[in-house]
Amino acid sequence: QVQLVESGGGLVQPGGSLRLSCAASDNIFSITVMGWYRQAPGKQRELVARIIRDGNATYVDSVKGRFTITRDAAKNTMYLQMNSLKPEDTAVYFCNTFPPRNIYWGQGTQVTVSS
């Protein structure tokens, strides 16, 4: 089965940027809708952005204009470029299909926005 591995998280100051990567063990991005999710402490996991096969993307209102989701099917990798980060963006970020499937949840990557 396909495995998804997130990376690229870290500690960044408010206003800073990070680029998250989601590497797949097989070509999944070109055949299904993919998404980035996040879970903040004490909160439910939420969909942040999703990208469909033709490259069109949608975003949750709180990240519109700041985050960009892209994918490179040739590299079996999906990205989330995050700019103008805010403390409320602090969370563990995950990639998965949309809708998500339990078998694809990985460890996620921690993003902490703090001064």
Side-chain angles (χ1 to χ4, degrees):
Q1 76 188 34
V2 176
Q3 291 184 319
L4 303 175
V5 179
E6 304 91 348
S7 63
L11 172 64
V12 63
Q13 292 186 342
S17 298
L18 284 173
R19 188 176 81 154
L20 306 184
S21 298
C22 171
S25 58
D26 202 348
N27 184 4
I28 187 173
F29 303 122
S30 65
I31 62 175
T32 190
V33 182
M34 296 295 300
W36 278 101
Y37 302 79
R38 67 185 179 187
Q39 186 167 20
K43 296 187 177 181
Q44 289 189 332
R45 194 170 298 179
E46 65 170 346
L47 175 69
V48 174
R50 62 179 177 176
I51 185 167
I52 62 177
R53 287 184 292 275
D54 64 2
N56 284 332
T58 60
Y59 302 89
V60 67
D61 285 347
S62 60
V63 308
K64 282 181 180 178
R66 301 188 298 121
F67 289 12
T68 303
I69 184 173
T70 58
R71 56 151 170 61
D72 186 336
K75 295 182 178 180
N76 293 340
T77 304
M78 181 173 69
Y79 304 96
L80 185 68
Q81 178 67 44
M82 305 187 297
N83 299 328
S84 301
L85 283 162
K86 303 176 181 180
E88 51 263 43
D89 295 318
T90 295
V92 180
Y93 285 71
F94 304 86
C95 58
N96 205 319
T97 57
F98 179 83
R101 298 185 65 186
N102 286 335
I103 60 172
Y104 292 145
W105 289 121
Q107 296 298 311
T109 186
Q110 175 71 48
V111 172
T112 303
V113 185
S114 175
S115 55

